Amino acid sequence: MKNFEFYNPVKVCFGKGEIAKLTGLVPLEANILLTYGGGSIKKNGVYEQVMEALKEFNVIEFSGIEANPHYETLMNGVALIKAQHIDFLLAVGGGSVLDGTKFMAAAALWEGSDPWDILSKRGKVRVDKALPLGTVLTLPATGSEMNGTSVVTRWETKDKLAFDSVHVFPRFSILDPEVVFSLPRIQVVNGIVDAFIHVMEQYLTYPANAPVQDRFAESLLTTLMEEGPRVLADRTDYDAAANFMWAATMALNGLIGVGVPQDWATHMIGHELTALHGIDHGQTLCIILPGIMQIKRKNKEEKLLQFGQRVLKITEGTTNQKIDAIIEKTIDFFESFGIKTKLADYGVGSEIIPQVIERFTKRGIKAIGERGDLTLEDIAKILDLQLK
Ligand code: NZQ
Ligand code: ZN
């Protein structure tokens, strides 16, 4: 196992009715900015619960944070934060609202010349302060409720970039599984596969003598494969919703990724498909992962076989036959939810290949993946394999 540090300061309040606890969680006397998206929270009762809990507080609203939150929109929020002397942000929504709010929290106190640097110069500049924030999660998927990551899209240039900072960990996150009941089916599906692939990014690499992380990861993969269909079969099944929600949070709160190699190539390539073609984040991952499993089958052989044996129960055949069956079963899992795994299914043709390569080249990226050996040539092969 590699050396690691683990730090996760997020207080999680999990369960039915927990939104009422907001009253005791937000700081007294705070000027609160309540951030949300396109209005789903006004249809499913979450907004009323939040406002009821905050009725004694000074709350200003900032709505309209879109899916794959736009830098342009968020900068309007930053202007509001400054004008209204906001000192606490409360994000109520899915990953997009949470990520957008994290960016606003950092950008509001950014002393550099251009807040876009927070994203475009990731790793070269450091966010050393941010306004405090809390969250009420309405869509289990991204893990944003319990991590210090934010992904933002600049609409003007179609760049979708991420940053991380310990300063944007939520102070608290409220996870009430009942929010799952009002989610459109496609968002539940996106959430299940996003969480599944978060685990894969931290698991499907090479062995690192880390059985704790491996078995945690396998338990999350198995849980998502079992509970996902239950959530979809009965949209009012509280227990299934609760297990799905907790699995999605655990998938990306840092725990399973400590001390082990991590990949993230599926996400990096997937972000380009969202930025260029607006394909949902979860769907992009289902297009790319099977291609990576195929092109990197040798590199990932030991973990592919371990995943096959322990999660998919594939034990018969030669190594190659087993890996073929593992890739097929993984695709079947995505397709069982109605997700398409080829670019042609989304109206995208071979023009995507030079476009994606050009964008990686422009950013100076030559290779990605857990060994840093998934080259631009490999990315082209993966996209080509996934064309139709
Ligand atoms: O805008 P509203 O009206 O709220 O509607 C949203 C949105 O249209 C709707 N929705 C959310 N909760 C609902 C609901 N509708 C009914 N009932 C509810 N309870 O769902 C739609 C999608 O929401 P969005 O927040 O965009 O989805 P998701 O949570 O999947 O977030 C995706 C974003 O997170 C980023 C993605 O790249 C993408 O930008 N990610 C963030 C990560 C992180 N912070 O660690 C990691 C992930 O890999 C991912 O990259
Ligand atoms: Zn993701």
Side-chain angles (χ1 to χ4, degrees), residues 94-310:
S96 295
V97 171
L98 272 52
D99 283 9
T101 305
K102 288 175 176 178
F103 176 75
M104 290 194 279
L109 300 189
W110 181 246
E111 285 170 358
S113 54
D114 184 359
W116 180 244
D117 289 350
I118 296 172
L119 294 147
S120 65
K121 297 190 177 159
R122 181 188 193 182
K124 295 185 200 114
V125 300
R126 190 188 299 162
V127 171
D128 53 17
K129 54 186 165 184
L131 285 172
L133 65 110
T135 86
V136 176
L137 181 70
T138 65
L139 199 177
T142 62
S144 186
E145 64 279 9
M146 206 177 168
N147 68 36
T149 303
S150 157
V151 189
V152 172
T153 299
R154 190 162 191 161
W155 187 242
E156 208 190 343
T157 55
K158 298 208 182 328
D159 280 306
K160 187 173 186 194
L161 302 174
F163 81 99
D164 306 272
S165 167
V166 290
H167 300 287
V168 298
F169 271 110
R171 298 290 163 103
F172 61 81
S173 282
I174 300 183
L175 278 60
D176 179 344
E178 289 191 321
V179 297
V180 170
F181 301 166
S182 68
L183 278 170
R185 186 181 189 281
I186 182 66
Q187 297 303 342
V188 176
V189 166
N190 283 342
I192 297 166
V193 298
D194 191 19
F196 183 88
I197 293 171
H198 291 159
V199 180
M200 289 300 236
E201 299 274 25
Q202 301 163 87
Y203 168 82
L204 194 65
T205 55
Y206 54 86
N209 189 18
V212 172
Q213 294 87 321
D214 277 4
R215 290 198 168 91
F216 272 168
E218 286 150 5
S219 112
L220 293 173
L221 295 169
T222 308
T223 302
L224 289 162
M225 292 183 97
E226 288 175 3
E227 300 293 315
R230 280 181 62 200
V231 175
L232 291 165
D234 177 359
R235 299 301 311 287
T236 59
D237 182 338
Y238 177 83
D239 290 327
N243 288 322
F244 162 42
M245 194 170 216
W246 187 227
T249 300
M250 289 294 291
L252 200 51
N253 66 0
L255 197 60
I256 62 166
V258 295
V260 298
Q262 301 195 17
D263 182 346
W264 296 104
T266 301
H267 272 71
M268 289 183 75
I269 307 169
H271 285 340
E272 298 303 330
L273 302 182
T274 303
L276 292 164
H277 290 281
I279 305 172
D280 285 359
H281 174 64
Q283 294 168 336
T284 67
L285 307 176
C286 299
I287 300 169
I288 302 301
L289 182 68
I292 292 190
M293 289 167 111
Q294 192 59 264
I295 298 292
K296 287 289 173 195
R297 57 192 290 150
K298 192 73 210 148
N299 254 9
K300 292 179 182 289
E301 184 176 295
E302 285 164 281
K303 291 304 279 288
L304 272 167
L305 294 174
Q306 185 177 319
F307 167 62
Q309 187 191 346
R310 295 191 186 171

